[in-house]
Amino acid sequence: MSTDTHRHGFLGERAEPAAALLALATWTGGLFAPTAATSTALYAAAYAFGGFFTLREALGSIRRGRFQVDFLMLVAAAGAAAIGRWEEGAVLLVLFSLGHALEGYAMGRARRSIEALGALAPRTALRLRSGAATEVPVTELAVGDRVAVRPHTRIPADGFVAAGTGSVDQSPITGESVPADKEPVADPAAALALPGAVAAESRVFAGTVNGAGSLELVVTRLAADTTLSRVVRMVQEAEERKSPTQRFTDRFQKIFVPSVLALVAALLLYGQLTGEPFTDTFYRAMAVLVAASPCVLAIATPAAVLSAVGRAARGGVLVKGGAPLEEFGRLHTVAFDKTGTLTEGRPKLTDILPAEGACRDELLRTAVAVQRLSDHPLAQAVVRDAPQHLDGDGPHGPLPEARDVRALVGRGVAGRIGGTEVHIGSLAGFDAAGTPVPPAMRARAEELAAAGRTTMAVRYGERHLGLLGLMDTPRPGAAAAVARLRALGVTRTVMLSGDDQRVADSVAAQVGIDEARGGLLPEDKAGAVARLRASGRTAMIGDGVNDAPAMAGATVGVAMGAAGSAVALETADIALMSDDLDRLPFITGLSRRASRVIRQNLWLSLGIVAVLVPATVLGLGIGPAVLVHEGSTLLVVGNALRLLRHPDPR
């Protein structure tokens, strides 16, 4: 059965006059004895209004080589008319149309919860040019434009704060319950050059609500590419992506509908062989058509998926269709990345250990020169914290300029300073590159690792300049989120980290993770996830970029902090728009409940068919059959709509 909103609206318009005509035919028959032609004309009109759109849909399906529910209903109604049961046929079509209209209204509620997201972004913005503010459509905003945002108004575009401070309600995008404090970036030009590196304290999204302060923003995304636009588009696309249960019901219907037609033919033949009056046999066969219609089965899963996807989107979680929704609801193993997922992702620079022959300032300046052009969290921490450890310009003058900066997957970052190659990364990365650090540095790195530090070595040309130690602390809500996952039925939690095993063990113990595996390169994480998946359904929770191979290999890949990240939104099966780990128990609970609702709807729809078919074979009429049929359809949709009210555990 189609669930197109326009179709349901049209059916509703047709059902009302059809019902009126049916009532008129019945009423006139009760008051006086109308001619047969009058009654037939009124019932025929009810047929026309009740079956017009259904007929058009059925003919379209037949041309595509498919026999769907509408076809069975039309055959039953035509058969009733053929044997003079016009009233029964009119009842069938009217109730079928009314059922569709009511179903459309209910399904429309689920769709409106999704469409409401698209209405969050304002249509105009106050663009600042030459000190003057001009109201323009948001579609005219260009990257780099300055925009003024007044207090208590919605933010018109993705960007960063260039002036002003205040708090922003980001719940429409991230699901966060508390407004986020915002402050201006230190260097707007640098932030515009690398918008992905802008800190969360300065980043804003279209559709969110400014607080009591006035802000000036710099636009970083066009209106069609904002985080809100992407989310709305992907949620709408998710409705078309079928879940395993939907694929099963599609396959079932392809076999079931022809089987029903064969059963009807067998009943007709049986009636002829037993000498039963043809009208009785034919009427019973038409009643079987109604009873066996898999209308409820067709709507059972889409209704639940649509409701759950809409509820998740309102809670700051993007679910890309029924498949990840169902799979996530059946998971028992969850693997986590460490940095930026279980931890803050904002490590602090705690240790500066120059190598023999190098000095503290040279080590720091070289590291900052290269890493200020990187968006890796460890690099950002060094750049952020290094100034407090530097002595002004120092004996080596201003910071050198780095060029040709590039990420070395799994090994760190490299660049050139004055023609000399610089490599910054883990000890394993240097070993893999064939330039291992000296034994003395390795020993000191072991001491840092034993203390729970993440270490990076710095090499300038042929010289090892020393070590930097950083510490990343667990997120405040990480332990509580892991405990709630366990309460929801997750039996195994694993942390996968590129850090030293001792660092991984320390963080795992603090947040309650069952297993910790450290020292992993991206391909190692992908291999670990593949092994976990071999023993059962496994989710991989990461940042959607560095952990993409592992996420792709998991049953379901989940990206943390996906707001503003096009890569995370595109690569993940499920995207948590904020960095708030409590969104993970929320979507776990919602997915598990959605799986239960899908199973309930599936068994109910199959049970209705299993009861109605024998009942109609034994003599139940078309009227009662269609009442049960359409009533069960509404029951299934109503059960699915309960997912829209799924509670947020915060």
Side-chain angles (χ1 to χ4, degrees):
M1 175 187 3
S2 169
T3 57
D4 182 78
T5 304
H6 171 72
R7 177 190 173 188
H8 284 129
F10 194 93
L11 279 170
E13 294 171 4
R14 292 283 173 176
E16 291 175 5
L21 287 165
L22 176 61
L24 179 61
T26 304
W27 178 66
T28 56
L31 289 181
F32 57 88
T35 65
T38 302
S39 296
T40 301
L42 289 172
Y43 285 130
Y47 263 68
F49 279 96
F52 173 81
F53 198 83
T54 305
L55 176 62
R56 195 168 74 176
E57 283 285 307
L59 291 176
S61 298
I62 292 171
R63 281 194 293 269
R64 294 191 295 272
R66 294 194 306 232
F67 292 93
Q68 295 183 328
V69 174
D70 298 344
F71 178 75
L72 298 183
M73 290 296 184
L74 285 171
V75 171
I83 60 174
R85 300 286 191 97
W86 286 93
E87 183 177 358
E88 296 270 12
V91 167
L92 166 61
L93 288 178
V94 169
L95 290 179
F96 187 61
S97 297
L98 285 172
H100 270 279
L102 292 172
E103 176 195 323
Y105 170 76
M107 291 292 288
R109 285 188 55 197
R111 282 197 180 84
R112 284 192 293 274
S113 72
I114 295 173
E115 293 167 355
L117 293 172
L120 293 175
R123 298 184 180 277
T124 61
L126 290 175
R127 184 169 59 191
L128 298 174
R129 286 187 177 173
S130 303
T134 305
E135 187 171 9
V136 298
V138 293
T139 53
E140 292 185 11
L141 293 177
V143 173
D145 279 350
R146 282 214 173 206
V147 174
V149 182
R150 293 169 177 162
H152 308 297
T153 60
R154 290 193 181 274
I155 291 173
D158 282 11
F160 58 82
V161 180
T165 59
S167 61
V168 174
D169 177 5
Q170 300 188 146
S171 59
I173 299 294
T174 65
E176 296 169 284
S177 57
V178 178
D181 293 333
K182 300 295 176 180
E183 60 186 34
V185 297
D187 186 346
L192 186 59
L194 282 173
V198 174
E201 291 79 7
S202 301
R203 186 184 299 181
V204 293
F205 307 107
T208 56
V209 183
N210 185 27
S214 294
L215 303 176
E216 285 188 19
L217 314 178
V218 174
V219 177
T220 58
R221 291 180 188 270
L222 300 178
D225 298 325
T226 64
T227 298
L228 179 62
S229 298
R230 288 176 180 271
V231 169
V232 172
R233 187 163 58 248
M234 289 182 177
V235 170
Q236 290 171 339
E237 291 171 355
E239 185 184 347
E240 306 301 324
R241 298 175 182 173
K242 295 186 177 181
S243 70
T245 305
Q246 283 175 279
R247 290 193 292 269
F248 161 76
T249 55
D250 287 346
R251 292 193 301 269
F252 179 81
Q253 288 183 76
K254 288 180 181 178
I255 300 171
F256 184 72
V257 172
S259 300
V260 170
L261 295 176
L263 173 62
V264 168
L267 286 172
L268 292 173
L269 179 61
Y270 176 79
Q272 292 297 305
L273 293 176
T274 59
E276 183 182 43
F278 177 76
T279 54
D280 293 345
T281 301
F282 193 80
Y283 179 80
R284 184 167 62 248
M286 295 304 98
V288 169
L289 277 182
V290 174
S293 168
C295 182
V296 188
L297 184 65
I299 199 64
T301 303
V305 169
L306 181 63
S307 298
V309 168
R311 177 64 186 96
R314 287 192 289 113
V317 181
L318 172 61
V319 182
K320 295 186 179 178
L325 178 73
E326 281 197 49
E327 294 289 3
F328 203 77
R330 301 168 182 168
L331 291 171
H332 293 286
T333 300
V334 177
F336 294 88
D337 173 49
K338 181 184 77 69
T339 303
T341 302
L342 288 172
T343 62
E344 290 280 4
R346 289 175 59 87
K348 297 179 180 179
L349 178 63
T350 55
D351 302 271
I352 304 164
L353 304 176
E356 185 177 353
C359 70
R360 182 187 181 92
D361 271 18
E362 182 185 16
L363 170 61
L364 280 177
R365 290 177 190 281
T366 302
V368 172
V370 173
Q371 292 186 312
R372 65 181 171 179
L373 299 178
S374 170
D375 60 359
H376 193 282
L378 293 178
Q380 293 176 10
V382 172
V383 174
R384 182 188 67 241
D385 297 341
Q388 60 187 295
H389 299 285
L390 289 169
D391 301 324
D393 285 343
H396 297 278
L399 287 173
E401 182 179 357
R403 298 181 180 276
D404 191 26
V405 174
R406 59 202 181 277
L408 305 175
V409 178
R411 296 194 289 118
V413 65
R416 302 185 73 83
I417 296 179
T420 301
E421 184 76 8
V422 177
H423 179 194
I424 305 171
S426 64
L427 269 60
F430 279 93
D431 292 341
T435 55
V437 303
M441 279 183 61
R442 189 175 295 276
R444 300 185 79 179
E446 293 290 335
E447 294 173 2
L448 290 176
R453 304 293 198 267
T454 297
T455 60
M456 61 174 65
V458 180
R459 180 183 173 92
Y460 179 81
E462 299 300 319
R463 297 172 56 218
H464 287 282
L465 299 185
L467 298 167
L468 300 176
L470 301 98
M471 182 171 61
D472 189 10
T473 57
R475 293 183 182 277
V482 171
R484 281 162 56 195
L485 285 178
R486 190 167 284 111
L488 287 168
V490 174
T491 57
R492 186 182 186 188
T493 54
V494 182
M495 186 178 72
L496 307 176
S497 174
D499 286 336
D500 183 87
Q501 183 65 48
R502 285 167 292 187
V503 177
D505 288 338
S506 174
V507 173
Q510 293 179 63
V511 300
I513 295 291
D514 299 325
E515 306 169 35
R517 303 178 188 180
L520 302 178
L521 297 175
E523 56 266 30
D524 298 327
K525 290 184 181 181
V529 168
R531 289 188 291 274
L532 290 171
R533 187 174 181 180
S535 60
R537 293 183 178 90
T538 301
M540 175 65 193
I541 321 295
D543 61 11
V545 182
N546 297 329
D547 300 307
M551 290 167 59
T555 308
V556 181
V558 182
M560 280 276 296
S565 171
V567 176
L569 287 175
E570 295 291 345
T571 59
D573 299 310
I574 295 176
L576 311 183
M577 302 305 290
S578 72
D579 287 323
D580 194 348
L581 273 171
D582 70 6
R583 299 297 80 203
L584 197 54
F586 164 70
I587 189 58
T588 302
L590 177 59
S591 298
R592 288 193 177 335
R593 187 178 180 189
S595 293
R596 290 195 299 271
V597 167
I598 289 171
R599 288 195 298 271
Q600 290 165 3
N601 284 356
L602 191 61
W603 285 112
L604 176 62
S605 58
L606 291 174
I608 291 294
V609 171
V611 171
L612 274 184
V613 169
T616 50
V617 169
L618 295 175
L620 184 69
I622 288 178
V626 76
L627 279 172
V628 174
H629 180 277
E630 294 304 319
S632 62
T633 299
L634 296 178
L635 183 62
V636 160
V637 174
N639 189 38
L641 289 180
R642 293 189 302 122
L643 294 169
L644 289 173
R645 300 190 299 273
H646 181 75
D648 195 321
R650 283 181 305 204

